[in-house]
Amino acid sequence: MDHYDIAIVGAGLAGALAALALSRDGRSVALVAPAAPHDRRTTALMDEAIGFLGTLGLGEDVTALGAPLATLRIIDGTDRLLRAPVVTFRAAEIGLEAFGYNLPNAHLLDRLNDRIAEAPAIARIEARLESLVEDATICTLRLADGRALTASLVIGADGRRSLVREARGIATRNWSYPQTAVVLNFAHERPHENISTEFHTQQGPFTQVPLPGKRSSLVWVMTPERAAEMVTREPAALSRAVEERMQSMLGKVTVDTEPQAFPLSGMAATHFGRGRVILVGEAAHAFPPIGAQGLNLSLRDVMTLVSMLAERPAIPGDIGDRYDRRRRADILSRTVSVDLLNRSLLTGFLPVQMLRTGGLQALSSAGALRSLVMQEGLRPGSAIRTMFGGLREKIGRHPA
């Protein structure tokens, strides 16, 4: 029975990135999962995640595959009495050329798999996990093809229906929304100028994100009934619907991929790690595709684990419990924020609409507040550090 320092179950983006990151310090890694299905979606990776990919030697891949996100714009697309002003976030306001890059998931995963195939410390095992047993010193994984292996640490990166999470007896909290996201890519006659525009509608956000050239990706959240009708439309009719919703901001639109529909729901594990088992990505947390939080949050899972393992050569038996404590605040705060933002669009309760409109008004008019929000969105906790740093500086200027 082969032994590895780390076994990662799940070979999607989160699992592949974890394998590359954790194999760089000399530890042996087994990446266990069948090949991931083709994913036609895109992901907006923010500056912190881009920097982390750069440390893995993937910086050139990111810039070659993706389009920079220099400006993020929010437009109130509701027909309610209280409508918020347009809010525009510019990366230049906080000294960046771009907040991040929008990349096709399939192309990024192809590059990751190429790197994994070249990494001598990673063993790629294309088999499904059958069972996982943990004792005080080791974890034993038995696979569907009859093979077995052991590892000092197991990372579950196997999605919402995680077998690793189930085997470790970790429960989840689940909730759903009366919404479905329609996802597609489209070409347009006018340049997007690296601007991402998010229309807030009463059914949910309509978010256009730049791709290289005169192309963009789209996540359009709507009612399940409307989504079911939308994905059956002829390409020309679907293209017209997208253009009309965008108010022809990018000129004529041509949808050039088959639309996909995903019912919106949320999930959070009650523990993000336990003993010698750790959960990352959608095995630990999942929520609607709002605010470019999904894979960025997953990468912070991986970054935290890299940092923890760098602190000591041996893998402690309670690493999962330590990881759970470190990740809890970030994961839960992001989950609650996305949930509240989404629900604020759906509610017709006037006080909630007033709060949402007032918040966007403040962001539109107050540059300092807008900068703090942008910093916090890119690097969690940075806004608080900036505020306290400024306060300490002011206090220090006063004579004793």
Side-chain angles (χ1 to χ4, degrees), residues 287-310:
F287 42 71
I290 297 173
Q293 293 300 313
L295 186 57
N296 290 281
L297 188 62
S298 301
L299 277 175
R300 291 203 294 278
D301 294 341
V302 176
M303 293 162 65
T304 298
L305 183 53
V306 169
S307 175
M308 291 177 65
L309 291 176

Side-chain angles (χ1 to χ4, degrees), residues 90-103:
R90 296 180 177 86
E93 291 186 61
I94 54 174
L96 297 175
E97 292 185 3
F99 292 110
Y101 280 78
N102 188 39
L103 300 95

Side-chain angles (χ1 to χ4, degrees), residues 10 15 68 76 86 139 146 192 196 205 218 226 232-233 244 249 253 259 277 279 292 297 324 327 344 346 351 400:
D76 190 334
V86 175
C139 296
H192 49 55
S196 174
L218 176 68
R226 191 178 181 207
T232 62
R233 289 191 182 188
E244 290 170 3
M249 295 173 65
V253 162
V277 172
L279 304 177
L297 188 62
D324 176 72
R327 293 299 298 139
S344 74
L346 298 176

Side-chain angles (χ1 to χ4, degrees), residues 16 20 58 61 65 106-120 122 124:
L20 285 174
L58 294 164
D61 294 305
L65 292 173
H107 293 169
L108 177 58
L109 186 57
D110 287 343
R111 297 293 177 93
L112 296 177
N113 286 333
D114 289 342
R115 298 297 180 92
I116 287 169
E118 298 169 355
I122 303 175
R124 182 69 176 90

Side-chain angles (χ1 to χ4, degrees), residues 72-78 80 82-89 198-201 205 290 337 340-342 344-345 351-367 369-371 373-374:
L72 308 178
R73 180 169 53 199
I74 297 175
I75 298 176
D76 190 334
T78 68
R80 289 168 174 157
L82 295 175
R83 297 185 63 191
V86 175
V87 181
T88 303
F89 301 96
E198 181 168 292
F199 289 86
H200 285 183
T201 78
I290 297 173
S337 297
L340 289 176
L341 176 58
N342 189 42
S344 74
L345 294 174
V352 174
Q353 294 180 29
M354 293 174 65
L355 285 172
R356 177 181 163 276
T357 301
L360 291 175
Q361 176 68 60
L363 288 173
S364 177
S365 58
L369 176 61
R370 196 165 56 248
S371 294
V373 169
M374 286 188 283

Side-chain angles (χ1 to χ4, degrees), residues 108-358:
L108 177 58
L109 186 57
D110 287 343
R111 297 293 177 93
L112 296 177
N113 286 333
D114 289 342
R115 298 297 180 92
I116 287 169
E118 298 169 355
I122 303 175
R124 182 69 176 90
I125 302 173
E126 294 195 9
R128 187 175 62 85
L129 178 69
E130 189 74 24
S131 67
L132 167 65
V133 177
E134 177 186 353
D135 61 31
T137 60
I138 210 166
C139 296
T140 301
L141 297 86
R142 300 196 178 277
L143 310 182
D145 64 1
R147 285 182 287 178
L149 59 99
T150 59
S152 301
L153 169 64
V154 174
I155 299 173
D158 48 344
R160 293 194 186 205
R161 299 178 179 179
S162 171
L163 292 173
V164 172
R165 186 184 65 229
E166 181 181 345
R168 195 57 184 83
I170 298 175
T172 61
R173 293 182 296 105
N174 299 274
W175 60 97
S176 60
Y177 301 93
Q179 299 163 292
T180 294
V182 173
V183 179
L184 54 85
N185 297 339
F186 63 95
H188 39 80
E189 64 180 358
R190 296 176 188 164
H192 49 55
E193 299 179 341
N194 300 325
I195 299 173
S196 174
T197 302
E198 181 168 292
F199 289 86
H200 285 183
T201 78
Q202 288 163 241
Q203 295 184 0
F206 171 105
T207 308
Q208 165 266 331
V209 190
L211 287 171
K214 292 182 180 180
R215 297 183 72 245
S216 293
S217 62
L218 176 68
V219 178
W220 190 353
V221 177
M222 60 188 75
T223 63
E225 296 78 15
R226 191 178 181 207
E229 183 273 328
M230 193 68 69
V231 297
T232 62
R233 289 191 182 188
E234 293 295 325
L238 182 57
S239 298
R240 283 194 300 273
V242 173
E243 181 181 339
E244 290 170 3
R245 179 67 270 181
M246 287 208 69
Q247 303 172 7
S248 296
M249 295 173 65
L250 297 176
K252 184 178 180 180
V253 162
T254 303
V255 173
D256 57 12
T257 60
E258 184 179 348
Q260 296 175 286
F262 300 91
L264 294 196
S265 62
M267 181 278 292
T270 56
H271 295 83
F272 306 120
R274 184 180 283 170
R276 293 185 176 275
V277 172
I278 281 172
L279 304 177
V280 302
E282 291 198 342
H285 45 75
F287 42 71
I290 297 173
Q293 293 300 313
L295 186 57
N296 290 281
L297 188 62
S298 301
L299 277 175
R300 291 203 294 278
D301 294 341
V302 176
M303 293 162 65
T304 298
L305 183 53
V306 169
S307 175
M308 291 177 65
L309 291 176
E311 295 169 1
R312 56 178 68 195
I315 298 175
D318 65 345
I319 188 170
D321 304 275
R322 295 169 184 247
Y323 171 87
D324 176 72
R325 291 191 291 271
R326 287 208 190 182
R327 293 299 298 139
R328 185 159 292 274
D330 183 23
I331 292 172
L332 295 183
S333 65
R334 296 289 153 160
T335 301
V336 170
S337 297
V338 170
D339 180 68
L340 289 176
L341 176 58
N342 189 42
R343 293 185 190 277
S344 74
L345 294 174
L346 298 176
T347 183
F349 190 46
L350 187 59
V352 174
Q353 294 180 29
M354 293 174 65
L355 285 172
R356 177 181 163 276
T357 301

Side-chain angles (χ1 to χ4, degrees), residues 8-28:
I8 300 170
V9 180
L13 289 174
L17 285 164
L20 285 174
L22 296 171
S23 66
R24 292 168 60 85
D25 60 359
R27 289 188 170 93
S28 58

